[in-house]
Amino acid sequence: MVLIPLLMATLATPAETVIFYYETRPPLTYVEGQGLGGLVGGPAYAAMQAAAVPASLVEAPFKRHMALIEQNRERACAIGRFKTPERERLGRYSLPIYRDGSFVAMVRAGDHRMGNGSKLLPLLGRRDIRVVLKEGYSYGPTLDAALAQMQAQRINTPDTGSGIVRMVAMNMADLTFAAEEEARTLLAEHDEQRGVVAVRRFGDMPPGELRYFFCSKQVPDSVMDRLNAALPPLK
């Protein structure tokens, strides 16, 4: 874990401080100066400052910080999580921070089973397709439902986005999913994957999902109200 104590936290007692968990995931969230930048991290950090919430930023692996929030062990929020029915039962959500671009698939460029404009659902019905997914992640309700019913082989991994793309490039898996802006960044960061991994846009891919602060039930209404008031409406 990496702790970035915010100035506002120094004026609060430990019991009042809210831990805000994040994972470094360009272009969505990354450290910038003493705070966060990125498509999600930037507006989330700005809202935290505007709301004057006593806070500490902590970088921690996805599964670890989500487990802590869902177990309601501390006053904490995760930055930029999708909404799922299970999480709604275990925690609470802010208003939306950001809407992702449409999901795309990342596949090997030479795999002719998966051309642009083809349909995703028939592919997920094929037993010879290997789909690699980040362990514990939600891909939004529409895609989560399709993945739960698929006949394709599912490979769960705790690896990073870069590691997952490398699995596709090395023929350890056939496809994975990412929001379009994240897919572009992943390919730009890894020149060795250019020409090996390609982005595919399926005709039945769902639109981008909303991202929120996902908080434990220990976070009081007053804090949620201040965060919500500080978040600008999405265009």
Side-chain angles (χ1 to χ4, degrees):
M1 291 190 178
V2 177
L3 174 65
I4 304 177
L6 306 185
L7 178 61
M8 63 189 80
T10 62
L11 304 178
T13 68
E16 296 173 322
T17 299
V18 179
I19 299 170
F20 284 88
Y21 288 115
Y22 71 96
E23 56 178 344
T24 298
R25 192 177 169 189
L28 301 179
T29 304
Y30 49 81
V31 174
E32 186 173 78
Q34 293 299 308
L36 297 177
L39 297 170
V40 176
Y45 183 70
M48 291 160 57
Q49 289 189 305
V53 175
S56 289
L57 281 174
V58 177
E59 182 178 19
F62 171 83
K63 286 193 69 177
R64 184 186 304 174
H65 73 241
M66 289 298 285
L68 290 171
I69 290 171
E70 291 172 358
Q71 292 163 13
N72 203 31
R73 293 185 177 183
E74 55 195 12
R75 186 178 287 200
C77 298
I79 294 173
R81 299 278 70 90
F82 289 159
K83 186 179 288 188
T84 71
E86 177 68 8
R87 291 176 189 170
E88 285 189 280
R89 184 178 67 82
L90 296 172
R92 54 196 319 195
Y93 282 90
S94 69
L95 294 176
I97 301 169
Y98 176 75
R99 182 185 289 278
D100 284 5
S102 294
F103 275 104
V104 296
M106 302 184 75
V107 305
R108 283 185 310 287
D111 192 336
H112 300 296
R113 296 172 296 179
M114 293 175 275
N116 261 341
S118 60
K119 299 294 186 179
L120 173 64
L121 291 182
L123 285 173
L124 295 181
R126 294 180 55 156
R127 297 181 184 274
D128 62 329
I129 299 290
R130 298 164 298 170
V131 182
V132 59
L133 303 168
K134 182 152 176 89
E135 196 171 43
Y137 261 32
S138 168
Y139 292 83
T142 303
L143 199 47
D144 283 350
L147 293 170
Q149 300 297 321
M150 72 178 179
Q151 298 299 307
Q153 302 171 51
R154 182 178 185 132
I155 303 170
N156 291 322
T157 177
D159 211 341
T160 63
S162 296
I164 290 173
V165 172
R166 194 170 293 112
M167 289 177 68
V168 174
M170 296 175 64
N171 199 18
M172 299 169 65
D174 298 314
L175 74 100
T176 191
F177 300 104
E180 183 150 5
E181 54 268 58
E182 185 176 17
R184 289 196 302 266
T185 298
L186 287 169
L187 289 181
E189 287 179 346
H190 299 280
D191 286 339
E192 73 275 12
Q193 309 300 355
R194 289 182 183 274
V196 179
V197 176
V199 169
R200 292 287 183 263
R201 297 166 181 84
F202 296 123
D204 53 350
M205 193 74 85
E209 297 290 340
L210 294 167
R211 293 185 179 273
Y212 306 81
F213 289 108
F214 172 59
C215 302
S216 72
K217 292 183 178 180
Q218 289 197 34
V219 177
D221 289 343
S222 58
V223 169
M224 300 303 297
D225 290 345
R226 285 152 65 187
L227 285 173
N228 286 335
L231 285 166
L234 295 186
K235 297 180 181 179

